[in-house]
Amino acid sequence: MKPAPFVHHAPRSVEEAVSVLAQVGHDGKILAGGQSLIPVLNMRLASPAHLVDINRVTGIDQVEVGDDAVRVGALVRHAELEYHEGAYAALPLLRQALVNVAHPAIRNRGTTVGSIAHADAAGEMPAILALTGGVVEATGPRGAREIAAVDFFQGPLETSLAEDELAVAVRFPRFAPGTATAFAESARRHGDYALAGVAAAVTVRDGVITDARSSFVSVTDVPSVLDLTDVVGGSEPGTADWAAAAEAVRAHVEPEADIHATADYRRMLAGELARRVLCQAAENAATTKGSSDR
Amino acid sequence: MTTQMFGAPIRRKEDPRLVTGGGRYLDDLGQHALAAAFVRSPHAHARITDIDVTDAVDVEGVVAIYTWEDLPGKVAEPLPLLIPHPTLTHGRTGYALARDEVNHVGEPIVMVVASDRYAAEDACQRIRVDYEMLPVVVGIENARDGEHLVHEDAPGNVAAHMVQQNGDVEAALAKAKHTLTLDLSIERSACMPMEGKGVYARWNDEDGELRIYSSTQTTTGVRAAVAAKLELPLAKVECIAPDVGGGFGVKIMHPWPEEVLVPWAARLLKREVKWAEDRREHFISSAHERGQLQTVTVGFDDEGRVLGLDVKFWHDNGAYTPYGIIVPIITSTQLLGPYKPGAYRCEFRSLYTNTVLVTPYRGAGRPQGVFAMERTMDAIADYLGIDRAEVRSRNFILPEEMPYDHGLLFQDGRPLKYDSGDFPASLDKLKKLVGWDDFEAYRAQAELEGRKVGLGIGCYVEGTGVGPYEGGHIVIETSGRVNVATGLTTQGQGHQTAFAQIVAEELGVRLEDVHVTTGDTRKMGYAVGTFASRAAVMSGNAIALATRNVKAKALRIAADALEVDEEDLEIVDGVVQVKGAPTTSMPLGTVAVLSNPLRYAFDDAAKAATQFAGTFDPDKPPVAEDEEPGLEGRDFYSPTQATFANGMHAAIVETDPVTAEITILRYCVIHDCGTMINPMIVEGQVHGGVAQGVGGALYERMAYDESGQLLNASLMDFLMPYASEVPHVEADHLETPSPLNPLGIKGAGEAGCIPVSAVIASAIEDAEGFPITSMPISPVELWELRQRHEAGEIPSLRHPHPAPDPSNTQEPTR
Amino acid sequence: MTDMTTEQVHDVTVNVNGVPRTATVPARRLLSDFLRHDLELTGTHVGCEHGVCGACTVLLDGKPMRSCLMFAVTAQDHRITTVEGLCDAPDARPCATGERMNPAQQAFAECHGLQCGFCTPGFLTTVTAYLEENPSPSQEEAREAISGNLCRCTGYQNIVKSVLRAAEIRTERLEENAGESA
């Protein structure tokens, strides 16, 4: 299990990275944390001729907490975001989800932007970008552009990033006041890819649910957001019809079977996890905790 | 003796080295050796029509590429069938490199030797093999129906058909008031040591000698097998096991193709060659175990006493049978556990499939057998509405019935005769430990909280310490250092400590002066290997006997020198002294000097030992008749039969009423391996065994698809448990010494894993109220069983516990 | 796949256990192989080469990472600590047989936290870094802390015990060190 040969590029700036990508992008891969890419290389399931190693690129390693959003640079490791107190205060959902990403040693190396660009439907952070209505900031030879999550994820492991574009950052917008979030997933082993995972954000105003939505891990092709406001909006958290919300989730998801679980089981699990996290988020929103602790 | 050594929880001598990076595992050796890699079959069953290596020969770093056609003489012949058996009528083994047919994914076809592993893999990727596909046989049902054959000349895919019986089963069943039939299945798993296999060979061309390092459980076995294959005199081959990163059975199989090919290539190329198996190779080309289908028919009376037991099972032996049919023989005999079965008959068929071969994995056939027996005990209890522990108790062999002969032949070809054990006492301890009698109150409380819990139990008896023999060799240096050698290997069991404890206790020396070497044919050429929980029993006793010999010699020489009676001497902390008058003494090192008269004085000890050093009796030879020079002792232990350890486990599990996720809340173990040399090490073995058992019960399986592809050939998809999946184990011991050996010990290595699937099945069944007949079980499988149960496809237990109301639960998942 | 021209090599310098170490390697050399085969620091072990088992865990700038999921070229100019390097920690002490052991190493040896020892270096680096973050973990936290590393021998029970013991030893030695410098 040794990777095939490749040419290693180590650009120092975004501009240099983009110019290298312009030359080799069709036959190359970007290496950031490498925690998904290198296993694939070691197994020789992929043998790109070029690796554009962005680990020495300057200026893309910051977490910036703004009034509207948390902006995460391409070299921010999962663990840095997980432990970032400002990010946690602004958007607890980030940490709620990140603690489910593999194991600490992987989170110390893997990058949040990388896992979003990898667009694995079993990844937690694509689902979080989707639920927050986030944005991917991309730079390429044609300049910089912003891609909304809804346009970014095209299919399993497929995004709208061009092969010569680099995702330099993502922005996770903050939720409206009165919103609380929760995240849960079920994996065979702690740290494994989830059989199903659900993120929820519920807004409560004056004791009444005004907005409820969730996004999913491992049970949809691409991260998608299900708006459940029609189902539970107008209710109080304690009396909302969470069973109906779960039913809507079961109808929404399109899980596939693999060796670890059947599609039916994953569907059931998505519904049950949704019931639990929606309920939890709603209660937290109502009690103005605004977040649940790790 | 100043400190008690035998029986004390002494810290391991190996650990300071291992925790500081000082371990030397196979791939840590031979940093400049050439590396081997293999082109392995991507197909489960195919004829090889062409191999084209043209594109690979020019890859930078490639030194040699070999196919079967390049192999000479015996290297080109099939690998040995190590353990033949009269009922193994259609035994088959593979070739070191596939000849013209492949029978499982992962079978080696081409060997590449290159400057390093990267280059070797580059070359492998460029080698093209053409195949003609053949029908694939995967799964026991497909093998059993015999529509397609793995080996053309093995009809019905049957490698072996064996029947053992004791008494008239049909008559017993006909007479029994009640009978039940159970259909059971258990899936494959694998040993999965953290270090894969590996072999590193050095050919010394000047002396015509071969040195092999192998990550093996038997160096004498590898040495003999390689010498035979390479047609070398045994005296010209040595084999050493360095630190071995776990074995669990897979490394007792030998010679693996690579163990033949790497030394062969090293000799041919006159270069050092090394192969370190990677994880993917380990999954697809190293052995698996466990897979069986079983049908049990049991006849019993109103009290739940078994009158007749008729077992049929079908065992998946994979593509080849190089290790014979040890695993199903063990299942067929060890199934009986601590019980008297009345009349017993067991019939099995060992079947070929186009999957990697099956050889012993920790427990070796016992987890399957115990699963069959314990499911049967639970079924009887449920049928009659009797407490499950009570039904077991009524069928126990009692201490006063020991030794107990089952009238069957065990895996070693010797009678299945239990030497000792106190099963009622073990059960009593277990019930107290787990709180058996209080469980219904706990369950009732849990049900009020909307939780589903269940209690399970499983008992086993394990034949340990099978022969034929092991040896011990001890030599005491003039410095007082005690060198101990035994031939079997070590892969984490702490032999350097446990064996040193035996020597320290028997001889009267300090633990730190005792240095144990295992698995090195240069130090001890006669040995069998480390498997079947035999190391402590076999080598432990051999070393004890050897120590007694060297001690007797030391006392003889010292008595002579001190001019006292041998009877009056003792050895304390390495000093031979007169009992009650310790000032009359001499260190063992001095005795070693005296034992070895020398001509030349190269150091102080030697100076003291020259023939010219002191007074001597001119009428006596320097070395007495019947003596040999040196303070040395050697002996062998070869018992007439195995010794039988036993244990009983109980677990409390919780199943999520909605998601069917399964959590082990408590896991309790009572373990009896006779006298314990080092209880800390024994407990460590139990913990590790239970963890492997939990893996086998809830997480691990080999997911082959119908074309014979292993779909989960990575640690990402083969769900070996992390700490987060393994329960805390509460263990207690009973020590029923074995009457069969001088130390009273029984084996402990495999114990922990043996009953776990049975225990967890029992507990889940108890929580759910319907029978669990197939293991391992995952949440999705349990969820589906619930649906089938609700649909009436699966009957309820006759005496189930009321199920809690699932709508009560609020708890989020972990 | 690239053509078969001679593979480009890089001079890689990494600070390993406090010492700058250089080797000339191709870009694809995994950090694990670089440490083990180029620098001959074989204490770091390779168990799966796909990042699941944790045997190859080393500290990169003090944080545990999988050395099989990094290329040596990427580690250029970073600080690596392997199991061998733990012996040089300020809180390492010599044991009776001469080896220096840091609190985690000492605790594993005391608590029978290892059997075959192959996975152990990955646990030791992980635990050493973890105790920096959480100097007095609960039993549950100790179990969580080691839950990214596979061990096939011990059933983890004595590893959990070792983590708790390591925390105690670490605290004792911190106090000793503070006393000495006071």
Side-chain angles (χ1 to χ4, degrees):
Chain A
M1 291 177 56
K2 308 294 182 192
F6 55 80
V7 177
H8 181 251
H9 304 270
R12 303 278 173 164
S13 65
V14 170
E15 295 68 34
E16 197 188 333
V18 167
S19 112
V20 174
L21 276 176
Q23 293 160 36
V24 305
H26 58 287
D27 206 8
K29 281 266 180 199
I30 295 170
L31 172 66
Q35 305 299 283
S36 298
L37 176 62
I38 297 179
V40 170
L41 300 182
N42 288 359
M43 295 182 198
R44 298 200 183 207
L45 297 172
S47 310
H50 299 268
L51 278 194
V52 184
D53 180 346
I54 61 168
N55 284 285
R56 284 173 227 173
V57 171
T58 51
I60 52 170
D61 61 349
Q62 294 298 310
V63 177
E64 295 159 62
V65 181
D67 291 341
D68 301 329
V70 176
R71 183 176 184 274
V72 179
L75 279 181
V76 174
R77 315 288 165 180
H78 288 303
E80 289 168 347
L81 184 56
E82 174 190 343
Y83 286 101
H84 197 285
E85 292 304 333
Y88 179 60
L91 207 46
L93 180 60
L94 293 174
R95 186 182 290 175
Q96 290 163 352
L98 280 163
V99 296
N100 293 282
V101 176
H103 296 107
I106 300 292
R107 299 203 289 274
N108 281 338
R109 188 73 196 156
T111 64
T112 299
V113 172
S115 82
I116 287 168
H118 185 49
D120 190 337
E124 288 81 2
M125 298 319 283
I128 299 308
L129 190 78
L131 187 64
T132 57
V135 169
V136 176
E137 299 177 16
T139 301
R142 295 163 300 283
R145 64 175 178 136
E146 298 197 342
I147 313 166
V150 66
D151 302 319
F152 185 76
F153 300 110
Q154 300 281 302
L157 307 178
E158 208 183 306
T159 71
S160 54
L161 266 185
E163 63 189 19
D164 56 4
E165 277 184 312
L166 175 69
V168 293
V170 297
R171 288 202 312 274
F172 297 99
R174 299 169 70 154
F175 290 106
T179 306
T181 56
F183 184 93
E185 65 176 40
S186 173
R188 287 304 323 278
R189 292 176 301 187
H190 177 74
D192 280 349
Y193 283 118
L195 299 178
V198 184
V202 180
T203 311
V204 176
R205 292 226 174 98
D206 302 327
V208 171
I209 296 167
T210 57
D211 190 274
R213 54 190 68 212
S214 56
S215 70
F216 310 94
V217 178
S218 293
V219 288
T220 53
D221 266 5
V222 292
S224 63
V225 178
L226 179 63
D227 191 334
L228 294 156
T229 314
D230 285 351
V231 184
V232 294
S235 307
E236 289 172 10
T239 56
D241 191 352
W242 300 116
E247 185 51 46
V249 167
R250 283 193 291 271
H252 170 78
V253 297
E254 296 173 314
E256 286 182 20
D258 68 7
I259 56 169
H260 300 301
T262 59
D264 283 349
Y265 181 78
R266 287 170 194 269
R267 186 183 304 280
M268 175 280 293
L269 206 50
E272 174 63 12
L273 293 173
R275 187 184 68 76
R276 294 177 189 180
V277 292
L278 284 163
C279 195
Q280 188 187 339
E283 279 175 16
N284 288 350
T287 54
T288 66
K289 273 198 279 182
S291 69
S292 71
D293 266 349
R294 300 175 51 177
Chain B
M1 283 304 303
T2 44
T3 333
Q4 189 210 333
M5 286 293 155
F6 191 98
I10 306 275
R11 286 183 198 168
R12 301 201 321 170
K13 288 167 71 80
E14 331 18 26
D15 290 346
R17 189 172 60 82
L18 295 177
V19 299
T20 52
R24 287 292 172 270
Y25 301 83
L26 195 279
D27 193 38
D28 302 341
L29 310 172
Q31 291 289 356
H32 304 289
L34 299 174
F38 294 83
V39 175
R40 297 178 184 275
S41 176
H43 304 297
H45 198 192
R47 202 159 281 129
I48 298 167
T49 55
D50 188 39
I51 301 175
D52 184 355
V53 303
T54 322
D55 285 350
V57 289
D58 293 331
V59 170
E60 193 185 352
V62 167
V63 174
I65 300 177
Y66 305 110
T67 66
W68 179 82
E69 291 190 347
D70 299 309
L71 306 180
K74 291 200 161 67
V75 182
E77 292 175 10
L79 295 163
L81 200 164
L82 289 174
I83 312 178
H85 192 276
T87 66
L88 180 56
T89 51
H90 293 76
R92 297 291 177 270
T93 60
Y95 292 86
L97 291 172
R99 184 174 173 177
D100 40 31
E101 189 177 314
V102 285
N103 283 300
H104 66 85
V105 170
E107 198 165 350
I109 300 171
V110 187
M111 180 194 200
V112 174
V113 181
S115 55
D116 66 18
R117 177 78 185 208
Y118 290 77
E121 291 191 18
D122 292 348
C124 287
Q125 212 175 1
R126 289 168 177 270
I127 291 167
R128 208 193 69 239
V129 183
D130 294 336
Y131 303 90
E132 179 190 320
M133 298 304 164
L134 296 170
V136 174
V137 181
V138 172
I140 294 175
E141 284 99 338
N142 288 333
R144 190 165 61 180
D145 80 18
E147 190 192 338
H148 297 297
L149 296 180
V150 175
H151 302 288
E152 282 300 322
D153 53 356
N157 292 311
V158 177
H161 175 216
M162 184 167 173
V163 183
Q164 282 214 73
Q165 59 187 331
N166 186 17
D168 187 342
V169 170
E170 263 140 41
L173 290 176
K175 254 191 352 207
K177 184 160 176 199
H178 314 286
T179 58
L180 280 171
T181 296
L182 289 81
D183 288 310
L184 305 167
S185 77
I186 199 153
E187 248 288 3
R188 272 189 181 209
S189 185
C191 303
M192 211 52 63
M194 294 310 300
E195 181 202 33
K197 307 198 307 288
V199 56
Y200 160 48
R202 289 189 204 164
W203 172 251
N204 177 339
D205 203 46
E206 288 178 356
D207 298 329
E209 288 178 351
L210 178 68
R211 179 181 295 180
I212 310 163
Y213 293 87
S214 182
S215 184
T216 182
Q217 293 174 229
T218 170
T219 48
T220 47
V222 172
R223 177 197 192 202
V226 173
K229 276 286 178 196
L230 269 50
E231 300 179 70
L232 282 166
L234 196 62
K236 291 291 187 184
V237 180
E238 50 199 34
C239 183
I240 300 156
D243 287 318
V244 174
F248 312 110
V250 67
K251 296 175 182 175
I252 191 62
M253 223 326 276
H254 68 279
W256 287 99
E258 301 85 359
E259 281 173 328
V260 174
L261 294 167
V262 167
W264 169 73
R267 181 174 63 168
L268 190 66
L269 296 168
K270 300 187 171 55
R271 300 277 299 275
E272 296 184 5
V273 182
K274 181 169 73 172
W275 169 73
E277 184 180 58
D278 70 27
R279 190 53 58 184
R280 165 136 183 102
E281 288 182 293
H282 189 77
F283 270 102
I284 61 173
S285 55
S286 285
H288 302 164
E289 211 231 276
R290 302 286 196 251
Q292 286 181 0
L293 293 181
Q294 306 164 331
T295 300
V296 181
T297 301
V298 62
F300 51 98
D301 65 15
D302 285 337
E303 272 70 52
R305 285 193 189 84
V306 176
L307 305 171
L309 185 66
D310 191 7
V311 176
K312 275 199 183 109
F313 71 91
W314 295 265
H315 172 79
D316 179 351
N317 61 225
Y320 302 110
T321 52
Y323 209 74
I325 48 170
I326 289 294
V327 174
I329 293 176
I330 295 176
T331 303
S332 70
T333 47
Q334 297 265 268
L335 182 148
L336 295 170
Y339 311 113
K340 288 173 282 192
Y344 176 60
R345 176 171 65 191
C346 185
E347 174 179 16
F348 71 77
R349 284 181 174 75
S350 188
L351 301 172
Y352 287 112
T353 57
N354 289 115
T355 59
V356 73
L357 53 95
V358 163
T359 67
Y361 161 32
R362 195 180 203 171
R366 294 178 187 86
Q368 302 94 309
V370 169
F371 181 65
M373 191 74 220
E374 294 297 303
R375 294 285 68 221
T376 303
M377 284 293 159
D378 279 358
I380 295 170
D382 178 58
Y383 187 88
L384 298 172
I386 302 175
D387 176 71
R388 290 170 294 165
E390 178 59 27
V391 165
R392 284 167 169 83
S393 165
R394 289 175 189 176
N395 285 286
F396 277 161
I397 296 161
L398 300 174
E400 54 270 28
E401 294 174 284
M402 297 289 177
Y404 186 88
D405 192 340
H406 275 291
L408 304 169
L409 290 183
F410 190 42
Q411 61 143 320
D412 52 2
R414 290 170 178 267
L416 182 74
K417 193 166 83 182
Y418 295 176
D419 55 325
S420 58
D422 188 342
F423 308 137
S426 288
L427 182 63
D428 198 43
K429 264 179 171 274
L430 181 71
K431 285 173 70 175
K432 287 202 179 86
L433 182 62
V434 75
W436 186 269
D437 294 330
D438 303 329
F439 183 73
E440 287 313 319
Y442 174 77
R443 188 205 307 274
Q445 180 56 39
E447 284 175 359
L448 287 177
E449 297 159 14
R451 297 165 55 219
K452 264 171 119 106
V453 294
L455 171 65
I457 182 172
C459 310
Y460 69 93
V461 169
E462 179 199 5
T464 66
V466 295
Y469 73 88
E470 288 296 337
H473 177 254
I474 298 189
V475 56
I476 301 171
E477 295 186 11
T478 55
S479 64
R481 177 187 165 104
V482 181
N483 298 311
V484 181
T486 189
L488 53 64
T489 62
T490 300
Q491 46 278 343
Q493 299 91 339
H495 294 156
Q496 287 182 15
T497 306
F499 295 156
Q501 285 178 256
I502 292 172
V503 173
E505 179 89 16
E506 290 276 344
L507 188 57
V509 295
R510 299 181 314 162
L511 191 75
E512 53 266 41
D513 291 331
V514 185
H515 301 268
V516 178
T517 301
T518 60
D520 184 338
T521 63
R522 298 171 302 179
K523 301 286 172 63
M524 170 57 83
Y526 295 98
V528 185
T530 300
F531 57 94
S533 305
R534 68 190 294 281
V537 179
M538 302 303 297
S539 282
N541 281 294
I543 287 169
L545 295 172
T547 310
R548 290 173 192 183
N549 290 344
V550 77
K551 182 175 186 180
K553 182 170 184 177
L555 294 182
R556 225 162 38 232
I557 294 168
D560 201 30
L562 296 171
E563 299 181 321
V564 294
D565 200 89
E566 275 175 52
E567 308 292 306
D568 296 332
L569 290 173
E570 61 179 357
I571 307 177
V572 177
D573 283 347
V575 176
V576 188
Q577 61 191 36
V578 174
K579 291 175 195 164
T583 46
T584 308
S585 67
M586 68 169 55
L588 270 176
T590 308
V591 182
V593 170
L594 295 178
S595 75
N596 185 18
L598 296 173
R599 188 171 179 85
Y600 307 113
F602 42 80
D603 65 8
D604 287 344
K607 208 188 290 175
T610 69
Q611 303 167 79
F612 310 102
T615 56
F616 57 89
D617 184 343
D619 294 332
K620 284 186 183 168
V623 177
E625 283 174 33
D626 305 330
E627 285 284 22
E628 292 176 358
L631 194 50
E632 204 168 339
R634 189 166 97 145
D635 212 334
F636 292 85
Y637 175 65
S638 182
T640 55
Q641 65 154 86
T643 178
F644 288 82
N646 70 85
M648 302 183 184
H649 295 193
I652 297 175
V653 305
E654 176 165 358
T655 58
D656 186 293
V658 179
T659 64
E661 288 163 303
I662 302 157
T663 309
I664 302 172
L665 301 178
R666 285 187 68 202
Y667 201 96
C668 299
V669 173
I670 300 297
H671 180 248
D672 184 352
C673 63
T675 314
M676 290 188 279
I677 305 168
N678 184 328
M680 180 189 80
I681 290 176
V682 170
E683 282 206 1
Q685 291 292 314
V686 171
H687 295 162
V690 169
Q692 269 178 323
V694 167
L698 296 176
Y699 297 98
E700 299 169 11
R701 69 181 67 225
M702 289 297 169
Y704 278 105
D705 71 7
E706 60 205 16
S707 69
Q709 295 295 333
L710 185 59
L711 301 179
N712 60 343
S714 79
L715 290 177
M716 199 169 296
D717 286 319
F718 176 80
L719 306 176
M720 204 162 125
Y722 289 103
S724 37
E725 283 69 54
V726 176
H728 180 84
V729 175
E730 301 162 58
D732 196 3
H733 302 273
L734 195 70
E735 290 189 80
T736 315
S738 172
L740 296 175
N741 62 67
L743 299 178
I745 58 184
K746 306 175 184 181
E750 296 165 282
C753 75
I754 292 172
V756 185
S757 278
V759 172
I760 301 298
S762 175
I764 295 174
E765 176 171 302
D766 185 48
E768 296 289 324
F770 52 80
I772 300 295
T773 58
S774 179
M775 292 295 274
I777 187 165
S778 63
V780 60
E781 285 162 326
L782 179 58
W783 184 70
E784 288 177 345
L785 287 178
R786 283 179 183 171
Q787 291 174 327
R788 291 177 55 204
H789 176 241
E790 279 160 26
E793 292 168 36
I794 296 174
S796 293
L797 295 177
R798 286 187 163 219
H799 298 89
H801 301 279
D805 178 358
S807 63
N808 284 346
T809 64
Q810 301 275 323
E811 286 302 300
T813 50
R814 284 184 291 153
Chain C
M1 194 185 305
T2 51
D3 59 27
M4 275 182 297
T5 51
T6 301
E7 199 175 348
Q8 189 190 353
V9 291
H10 304 256
D11 290 327
V12 175
T13 300
V14 180
N15 184 308
V16 184
N17 302 329
V19 180
R21 302 286 302 269
T22 303
T24 305
V25 298
R28 61 169 157 162
R29 180 79 88 238
L30 296 169
L31 178 59
S32 47
D33 288 336
F34 178 80
L35 293 169
R36 290 177 42 73
H37 300 310
D38 295 296
L39 305 185
E40 300 195 6
L41 286 167
T42 55
T44 299
H45 298 148
V46 170
C48 75
E49 291 178 299
H50 51 276
V52 181
C53 80
C56 70
T57 306
V58 299
L59 306 183
L60 184 97
D61 301 329
K63 290 188 180 136
M65 294 185 197
R66 308 287 203 229
S67 63
C68 77
L69 295 191
M70 274 190 76
F71 295 112
V73 282
T74 311
Q76 175 90 32
D77 300 331
H78 286 276
R79 211 159 39 79
I80 302 278
T81 309
T82 68
V83 67
E84 290 95 340
L86 301 182
C87 308
D88 301 326
D91 56 359
R93 300 282 185 276
C95 70
T97 44
E99 293 89 346
R100 290 180 61 84
M101 298 188 203
N102 86 350
Q105 292 169 310
Q106 176 74 37
F108 273 65
E110 280 183 19
C111 302
H112 192 26
L114 63 152
Q115 290 180 23
C116 81
F118 192 81
C119 68
T120 311
F123 276 92
L124 291 169
T125 47
T126 302
V127 170
T128 298
Y130 177 75
L131 293 176
E132 292 291 317
E133 262 178 51
N134 185 357
S136 52
S138 65
Q139 179 153 328
E140 206 172 304
E141 287 168 335
R143 193 170 273 275
E144 163 86 24
I146 56 162
S147 280
N149 291 59
L150 286 171
C151 169
R152 195 57 157 169
C153 293
T154 63
Y156 304 105
Q157 193 143 325
N158 288 341
I159 301 184
V160 172
K161 199 169 152 191
S162 301
V163 176
L164 300 175
R165 177 68 188 130
E168 287 175 7
I169 299 172
R170 186 176 171 279
T171 306
E172 287 163 18
R173 291 184 182 175
L174 271 179
E175 284 163 8
E176 278 170 30
N177 284 2
E180 278 162 25
S181 60

